[in-house]
């Protein structure tokens, strides 16, 4: 094999990569050393802004295969035929910590999936929990500020974490998930994934349905206790990345089975609680899981930066037959996710290989900007409408319209008959075994007992009491015992 030639960015061969050009053998470095200047300048710019949330992540390629007929619910082409396969890319992540954080920590996990369909890319951005901490996007920056490093102390502060939760009772359900046994997955392969939000499916007849996505791991759910997690972090801070990489390299391809819950659109208005509230789940007794297909991961990225760090997901990347719902948190994310990527990666981030459609042709009037790589021919016009056979609209909406009424302004979500912030947290607690309850109480008390203000502790205890009397009593006793030590 012939030796490859080292070159500059412009392709010129490099004569010496060991010694900088100097004025004489012992003299100062010369400004004219183009290779040195280019190399140092590029090194200074190797890092791009990390994600504010979901900074620490791992990714893999694979495919999604349809196993069951769902054409009665959606006209999405990639779901139109049993046996149909669509290439995918997934990014798993932790939420609160920075890019250098550890994997085996108590934190929700991102479960972001990109389908490279022949009608364009479809992004499904979810978590490993079916619910979230808040229900309105205006609270999201404050929530994340409370969970991230304090600007004065430079560390995550229990006072901040629990003070926000004390004043956000809708967080009680997600806290119960997070502090329970599934709060630290053993690996990315051994956790479930959820779309979390409510989405809309529309079939070929124009009938609308609201759906929730459930990806159930075929490896079985495995989690770590707080002690096991701490031990794992000490052994290998990159444990989840290591596990995913090595499993796929060995040919042990992880997979998940996708199910959906389907609610006819007409039933949403009178459902007993708000079905668009992301702090709640739909009981399976009301809307059973219906199988759709399976997700298989079978290829690791060649370059983590290019394909994982630069991967950009946005829940507003829909395809015909799939659209949004009135879920307020989802509505906020429709803007925020794409805007975050424009900031991090630039206006042309969709042209990067990991983000560009693979089975569809992009044909629009977007031009120029930083890092533009896609240009039309010189005969193409850069405006619409035009008389030169340029790309034109279809006139066909991706999803069904949603009726709206009332006055503009800031409104609380409309109340349904059984809307409250605590009953589902109580139901989750009562489903747990005695040992699971013990660990849940210990995990909550371990954090809450570190809070310095009594009123913040009392507010949080009131939430657990409201969810379940036994739940509240046990957390209160455990917190008191730890504070008296």
């Amino acid at each position: 094999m012939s030796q490859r030639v080292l070159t500059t960015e412009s392709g010129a061969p490099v004569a010496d990569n060991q010694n900088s050009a100097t004025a004489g053998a012992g003299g100062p470095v010369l400004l004219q050393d183009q290779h040195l200047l280019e190399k140092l300048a590029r090194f200074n710019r190797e890092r791009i802004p990390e994600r504010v949330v979901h900074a620490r992540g791992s990714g893999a390629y694979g495919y999604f295969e349809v196993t069951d007929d769902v054409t009665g619910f959606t006209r999405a082409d990639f779901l139109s035929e049993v046996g149909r396969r669509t290439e995918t890319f997934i990014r798993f992540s932790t939420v609160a910590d920075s890019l250098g954080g550890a994997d085996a920590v108590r934190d929700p996990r991102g479960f972001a999936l990109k389908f490279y369909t022949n009608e364009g890319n479809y992004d499904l951005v979810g978590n490993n929990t079916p619910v979230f901490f808040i229900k309105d996007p205006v609270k999201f920056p404050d929530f994340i500020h409370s969970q991230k490093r304090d600007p004065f102390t430079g560390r995550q502060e229990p006072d901040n974490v629990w003070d926000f939760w004390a004043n956000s009772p809708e967080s009680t359900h997600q806290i119960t998930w997070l502090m329970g046994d599934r709060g630290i997955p053993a690996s990315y392969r051994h956790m479930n994934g959820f779309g979390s939000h409510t989405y809309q499916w529309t079939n070929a007849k124009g009938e609308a349905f609201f759906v929730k996505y459930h990806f159930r791991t075929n490896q079985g759910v495995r989690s770590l206790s707080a002690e096991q997690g701490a031990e794992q972090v000490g052994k290998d801070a990159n444990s989840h990345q290591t596990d995913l990489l090595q499993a796929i390299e060995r040919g042990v391809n992880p997979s998940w089975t996708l199910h959906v819950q389907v609610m006819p659109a007409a039933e949403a208005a009178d459902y007993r609680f708000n079905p668009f509230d992301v702090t709640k789940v739909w009981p399976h007794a009301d809307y059973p899981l219906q199988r759709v297909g399976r997700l298989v991961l079978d290829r690791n990225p060649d370059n983590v930066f290019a394909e994982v760090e630069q991967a950009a997901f946005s829940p507003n990347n829909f395809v015909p037959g799939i659209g949004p719902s009135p879920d307020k948190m989802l509505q906020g994310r429709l803007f925020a996710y794409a805007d975050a990527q424009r900031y991090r990666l630039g206006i042309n981030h969709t042209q990067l290989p990991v983000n560009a459609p693979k089975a569809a042709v992009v044909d629009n009037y977007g031009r120029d900007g930083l890092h533009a790589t896609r240009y039309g021919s010189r005969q193409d016009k850069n405006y619409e409408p035009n008389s030169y056979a340029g790309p034109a609209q279809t006139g066909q909406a991706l999803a069904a319209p949603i009726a709206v009424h009332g006055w503009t302004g800031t409104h609380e979500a409309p109340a349904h008959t059984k809307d409250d912030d605590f009953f589902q947290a109580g139901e989750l607690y009562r489903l747990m075994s005695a040992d699971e309850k013990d660990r849940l109480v210990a995990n909550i008390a371990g954090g809450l007992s570190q809070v310095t203000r009594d009123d913040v502790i009392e507010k949080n205890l009131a939430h657990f009491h409201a969810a379940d009397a036994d739940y509240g009593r046990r957390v209160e006793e455990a917190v008191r015992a730890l504070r008296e030590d």
Side-chain angles (χ1 to χ4, degrees), residues 29 34 85 93 105 113 158 160 163 179 285 287 298 308 310 323 333 374 389 430 433 459:
V29 171
Q34 186 256 357
R85 286 190 176 185
S93 56
V105 294
L113 189 60
N160 301 353
D163 183 42
M179 298 298 175
Y287 298 101
D298 59 6
V308 180
Q310 291 193 134
R333 284 173 166 155
R374 186 178 66 238
R430 290 185 287 275
S433 68
K459 283 183 179 179

Side-chain angles (χ1 to χ4, degrees), residues 6-219:
L6 178 66
T7 74
T8 65
E9 294 288 327
S10 61
V14 173
D16 190 340
N17 194 44
Q18 314 305 317
N19 304 288
S20 302
T22 60
V29 171
L30 296 176
L31 188 62
Q32 71 183 39
D33 189 340
Q34 186 256 357
H35 175 54
L36 170 66
L37 299 187
E38 180 180 82
K39 193 173 180 181
L40 292 179
R42 182 177 183 85
F43 177 77
N44 287 343
R45 293 161 176 80
E46 281 185 355
R47 297 295 176 264
I48 61 175
E50 72 172 39
R51 292 166 169 87
V52 177
V53 288
H54 297 277
R56 169 71 186 160
S58 303
Y61 291 95
Y63 63 86
F64 179 78
E65 181 178 10
V66 179
T67 57
D68 294 78
D69 182 10
V70 291
T71 55
F73 305 121
T74 179
R75 61 186 176 93
D77 185 69
F78 79 101
L79 299 175
S80 64
E81 183 181 359
V82 172
R84 181 79 167 268
R85 286 190 176 185
T86 300
E87 185 179 355
T88 62
F89 180 80
I90 194 167
R91 185 177 186 272
F92 304 106
S93 56
T94 54
V95 176
D97 213 343
S98 61
L99 187 58
D103 286 342
V105 294
R106 188 172 299 280
D107 200 13
R109 300 301 191 277
F111 195 97
L113 189 60
K114 189 181 295 290
F115 299 83
Y116 300 102
T117 89
N118 62 2
E119 295 181 304
N121 289 352
Y122 171 46
D123 289 355
L124 181 59
V125 181
N127 286 321
N128 71 327
T129 61
V131 293
F132 196 59
F133 295 94
I134 53 175
K135 63 182 75 173
D136 195 299
V138 76
K139 298 182 69 171
F140 187 74
D142 299 294
F143 164 61
I144 295 301
H145 287 169
S146 75
Q147 310 296 301
K148 300 284 276 188
R149 296 176 185 269
D150 183 88
F152 172 65
T153 67
R155 64 180 190 176
Q156 189 182 52
E157 291 292 346
D159 277 357
N160 301 353
V161 170
W162 289 95
D163 183 42
F164 182 89
W165 288 343
N167 292 286
S168 303
E170 69 269 28
S171 297
T172 309
H173 193 188
Q174 174 73 318
I175 292 169
T176 306
W177 271 90
L178 178 62
M179 298 298 175
D181 277 3
R182 298 191 181 189
I184 310 178
S187 79
Y188 290 131
R189 296 183 298 127
H190 294 94
M191 68 181 193
N192 294 331
F194 302 88
S196 301
H197 296 291
T198 302
Y199 292 90
Q200 187 204 72
W201 277 7
T202 309
N203 65 18
K205 298 177 182 178
E207 297 169 327
F209 303 86
F210 292 118
V211 301
K212 283 186 175 289
Y213 294 88
H214 300 249
F215 288 86
R216 291 191 159 184
T217 175
N218 294 324
Q219 291 71 238

Side-chain angles (χ1 to χ4, degrees), residues 274-289:
N274 183 356
F276 309 118
D277 179 351
V278 73
T279 69
K280 295 182 175 63
V281 297
W282 297 355
H284 292 185
D286 293 350
Y287 298 101
L289 295 179

Side-chain angles (χ1 to χ4, degrees), residues 327-476:
D327 180 335
K328 293 179 76 174
M329 274 302 299
L330 172 61
Q331 292 286 323
R333 284 173 166 155
L334 297 181
F335 162 76
Y337 273 62
D339 189 59
Q341 305 304 344
R342 295 184 192 104
Y343 162 68
R344 294 183 61 247
L345 302 170
I347 192 63
N348 289 307
H349 67 272
T350 55
Q351 297 178 28
L352 295 169
V354 70
N355 300 321
K358 298 182 184 296
V361 175
V362 175
D363 196 3
N364 59 36
Y365 297 94
R367 292 288 187 272
D368 307 334
L370 190 67
H371 300 152
T373 61
R374 186 178 66 238
Y375 301 96
S377 71
R378 58 185 176 180
Q379 290 85 16
D380 282 347
K381 302 301 179 184
N382 191 28
Y383 57 87
E384 196 280 335
N386 64 58
S387 304
Y388 293 85
Q393 66 193 39
T394 66
Q396 298 177 344
L398 298 186
I402 295 174
V404 296
H405 64 278
W407 299 95
T408 60
T410 56
H411 304 283
E412 292 186 5
H416 292 232
T417 55
K418 290 198 67 175
D419 270 333
D420 77 43
D421 294 320
F422 308 111
F423 79 94
Q424 288 203 347
E427 289 180 338
L428 178 58
Y429 175 80
R430 290 185 287 275
L431 285 173
M432 295 180 179
S433 68
D435 288 345
E436 287 176 308
K437 290 177 181 177
D438 289 344
R439 291 187 289 270
L440 170 67
V441 169
N443 290 333
I444 293 174
L448 188 54
S449 63
Q450 299 178 52
V451 173
T452 59
R453 288 183 49 165
D454 291 343
D455 62 325
V456 172
I457 294 176
E458 291 303 321
K459 283 183 179 179
N460 278 286
L461 291 176
H463 297 167
F464 300 123
H465 279 292
D468 181 272
D470 181 66
Y471 189 7
R473 177 188 60 78
R474 294 188 61 185
V475 171
E476 183 171 1

